[in-house]
Amino acid sequence: MDETTLLSLVAEVLFLRNTTAYRDEENELVRRGKVLNSQVGGSDPRARADELRRLAPGPMILGADMETGSGWAADGLKVPPFMALGAAGREDLATAWARAVGREGRRLGLDVIWSPVLDINTNPDNPIINVRSFGEDKETVSRLGAATVRGFRDSGIHFAAKHWPGHGDVAVDSHIALPLLDISRERLTEVELYPYRAAAAAGLESVMTAHLLVPSVDPEHCVTVSPRHMAILRGELGLPGPHFTDSLAMEGLRTTVDSAEAAWMALAAGHDLILVDYKRSPLESYAAVLAACRDGRVPESRLREAAAKVRALKQRLANLPPLPPAATIRADLEAMAKQVAEASTTARNWAGSTPDFGTKPLLIICDDLKRRGLEIADEQTAGGLAGRHPAVAALRQWADFTPVILPEDPAKADDAALAAQLEQATAVLGVTFARISCYKGDGTRLPASQTALWQRLHQSGKLRAMLLFESPYALEDLPNLPTVVGYGSDPASLQAATAALFGALPCPGRLPVTVRR
């Protein structure tokens, strides 16, 4: 194989990460045609997508995560997560979700999104999947996963289900360390791979693999660099690809193998598109893959196969039907989010009547303040979110609450500050967000200090009800009080749960996971 051909093939199989720290290197790789795929993000993904396409001498595939819609974009919208669809249980909503999100992705300039999540969340202590999954039951995940496949196909966007072969039964975040999926080969086939067979029948072609060690398949290599796993994917399941690695910047991989070396190893194992490590210069991963293709560690046949799959996808993406107008896409996205949120709202210990909060109701919210744009110190010194936290805005439509915003791990000093307000209040409504996020390492349950706070408020006799958003497993940490659960922190979930609390909407959702209390 001549050098020109080699360089053109390598350009097809690497995926840049849109990393600000290495923007100059990434732009140069694209401009020179050395890498022709990239993740996009930021507040204006469309502008970055347009810039990359202008730079590139050939077609590009541009991708992003959109598990909760496009809230990361300035003109985007966050929508309920997959577990909300699990609570609603309706295939029509799952198809509508995927169709609306897929079209929104195309509006933003994307060609591919890494979705749906087909992990079956059988481990309640899983710190990274949780509400990203449809639930704990393989039939539910399979049924709704296939429905989302149909919706994505309708939208025209390409999509890759994840995290193959299954990230649901682990208790470690693979962003932090390598999880062990210590199950039999028979169990893997019967449970973890079950949703992928249903999705394949519905038209799934691509997956994103997980950084996992599954000893029953390969006791030495994580999935990312394991030819044995990729043989199952292509042979047993018959999924043609192109197939993506997960980010090679995740510590689950980086702590076991050099991430630049892993780039060529993943390609040799059977992946077609490699998401290079964004924590180091992309030039290092590019050089490692190029060297391995030159000396035969990546066989020429494997490189040609991967590049051919990517080029075939690019050709297909170039011939998609036009999108509806942007206003129509937005209206459909908003309508879908509202429908899913209202269909998924779930009640516990609920008789259906709105609690009496009296004339001086106090609203206490515990949340991860950093994601709201504030550090904890900002909240403590400036009052921060008291007037503009989205839950405050949603609840003040129903009652004149006095809000108090606390960090998710409140300190004893917060008790002292609350004492005077609690004395004056006629009743208290508690709101908490059990947030799951990368590198956090927990979040399925509430911090002990927060659990103690809710118990003390319950013992005071003034805590009348709770609103819980995100991880439903945190129900185990709340007092035995009327509680309404919303599975996301998006605007539609906040509106639906607060309306249900005040009797304006029913709570038709059912918990898609087992809560032990």
Side-chain angles (χ1 to χ4, degrees):
M1 179 168 49
D2 63 76
E3 186 72 3
T4 300
T5 300
L6 173 64
L7 294 175
S8 70
L9 296 176
V10 169
E12 301 291 1
V13 301
L14 296 179
F15 220 94
L16 298 173
R17 306 302 311 286
N18 193 47
T19 310
T20 304
Y22 299 110
R23 180 59 52 85
D24 290 343
E25 290 96 326
E26 291 192 352
N27 285 351
E28 186 65 8
L29 285 169
V30 171
R31 188 186 66 79
R32 297 178 64 185
K34 291 187 172 184
V35 180
L36 293 176
N37 309 291
S38 181
Q39 187 170 345
V40 295
S43 62
D44 195 347
R46 180 84 226 190
R48 178 59 176 161
D50 291 345
E51 178 188 19
L52 286 167
R53 294 193 199 282
R54 286 193 301 269
L55 286 171
M60 294 195 74
I61 291 177
L62 303 180
D65 279 313
M66 291 188 69
E67 294 177 24
T68 54
S70 56
W72 39 271
D75 63 345
L77 180 70
K78 191 173 186 179
V79 302
F82 289 123
M83 192 167 281
L85 292 169
R90 290 170 46 185
E91 292 178 38
D92 62 322
L93 288 181
T95 298
W97 189 104
R99 185 187 300 113
V101 170
R103 287 176 176 168
E104 172 73 350
R106 288 182 60 197
R107 181 189 72 82
L108 294 172
L110 304 179
D111 302 298
V112 62
I113 55 178
W114 300 303
S115 187
V117 175
L118 296 184
D119 301 318
I120 305 169
N121 203 76
T122 49
N123 189 333
D125 296 322
N126 192 320
I128 191 58
I129 301 302
N130 200 284
V131 294
R132 301 168 69 195
S133 164
F134 294 108
E136 68 183 8
D137 172 63
K138 73 175 186 178
E139 297 291 348
T140 298
V141 175
S142 298
R143 184 170 57 84
L144 297 177
T148 60
V149 167
R150 294 191 289 272
F152 283 135
R153 286 175 65 87
D154 286 348
S155 77
I157 202 157
H158 192 70
F159 54 98
K162 60 186 183 184
H163 304 82
W164 193 89
H167 206 303
D169 194 11
V170 302
V172 172
D173 178 2
S174 52
H175 294 85
I176 299 173
L178 182 66
L180 173 68
L181 185 60
D182 194 11
I183 60 175
S184 69
R185 180 66 173 84
E186 292 73 24
R187 151 67 191 267
L188 185 74
T189 299
E190 293 172 3
V191 179
E192 275 71 15
L193 302 187
Y194 190 83
Y196 287 93
R197 292 196 291 272
L204 176 69
E205 298 174 350
S206 298
V207 307
M208 171 178 276
T209 61
H211 303 310
L212 295 171
L213 184 66
V214 189
S216 62
V217 175
D218 190 335
E220 297 181 2
H221 303 101
C222 81
V223 173
T224 314
V225 296
S226 171
R228 294 182 188 177
H229 279 284
M230 298 309 291
I232 294 171
L233 177 60
R234 294 188 183 279
E236 183 176 319
L237 293 184
L239 289 170
H243 298 306
F244 297 76
T245 69
D246 207 338
S247 167
L248 299 190
M250 294 167 63
E251 298 302 322
L253 175 96
R254 294 175 101 240
T255 55
T256 60
V257 62
D258 178 83
S259 61
E261 293 297 297
W264 72 259
M265 294 169 69
L267 177 61
H271 292 83
D272 307 303
L273 284 159
I274 315 300
L275 275 66
V276 301
D277 184 350
Y278 65 83
K279 296 175 182 175
R280 62 196 298 178
S281 169
L283 299 175
E284 297 177 44
S285 297
Y286 176 79
V289 170
L290 190 59
C293 291
R294 280 177 173 149
D295 66 19
R297 284 173 291 165
V298 176
E300 179 180 337
S301 60
R302 173 80 273 275
L303 176 61
R304 287 186 180 275
E305 178 190 38
K309 289 179 181 293
V310 175
R311 285 173 174 169
L313 175 58
K314 288 181 176 181
Q315 185 173 8
R316 195 170 75 200
L317 291 169
N319 294 292
L320 291 177
L323 280 170
T328 301
I329 294 172
R330 177 64 179 221
D332 290 347
L333 194 67
E334 290 177 348
M336 174 278 293
K338 183 174 186 293
Q339 287 180 309
V340 172
E342 292 180 357
S344 61
T345 302
T346 305
R348 287 292 295 262
N349 307 314
W350 187 256
S353 58
T354 302
D356 181 9
F357 291 106
T359 58
K360 294 183 178 180
L362 184 64
L363 171 63
I364 300 176
I365 299 173
C366 288
D367 195 2
D368 180 348
L369 303 183
K370 292 184 179 181
R371 70 160 161 186
R372 304 294 182 187
L374 293 174
E375 299 291 341
I376 292 174
D378 296 328
E379 174 62 22
Q380 291 172 339
T381 58
L385 289 165
R388 59 186 179 88
H389 190 287
V392 176
L395 283 159
R396 277 185 167 166
Q397 298 176 61
W398 302 99
D400 188 22
F401 285 101
T402 298
V404 176
I405 317 295
L406 300 175
E408 62 180 349
D409 194 358
K412 290 183 179 180
D414 295 314
D415 278 358
L418 276 176
Q421 290 170 297
L422 187 61
E423 180 70 24
Q424 298 297 317
T426 52
V428 175
L429 171 62
V431 179
T432 186
F433 293 80
R435 185 193 183 199
I436 302 299
S437 64
C438 303
Y439 296 98
K440 187 175 182 181
D442 56 24
T444 63
R445 302 283 297 273
L446 300 179
S449 63
Q450 188 185 147
T451 299
L453 170 66
W454 298 126
Q455 294 297 338
R456 289 193 298 274
L457 289 169
H458 182 38
Q459 291 165 8
S460 76
K462 291 190 174 183
L463 184 61
R464 297 283 188 267
M466 295 288 306
L467 289 174
L468 169 62
F469 295 100
E470 301 175 277
S471 172
Y473 296 105
L475 282 166
E476 299 178 25
D477 302 317
L478 298 179
N480 191 27
L481 285 167
T483 303
V484 176
V485 180
Y487 298 87
S489 60
D490 56 282
S493 293
L494 296 181
Q495 291 290 340
T498 54
L501 178 68
F502 284 89
L505 289 174
C507 289
R510 296 292 180 268
L511 284 174
V513 295
T514 300
V515 175
R516 290 180 286 237
R517 190 186 73 183

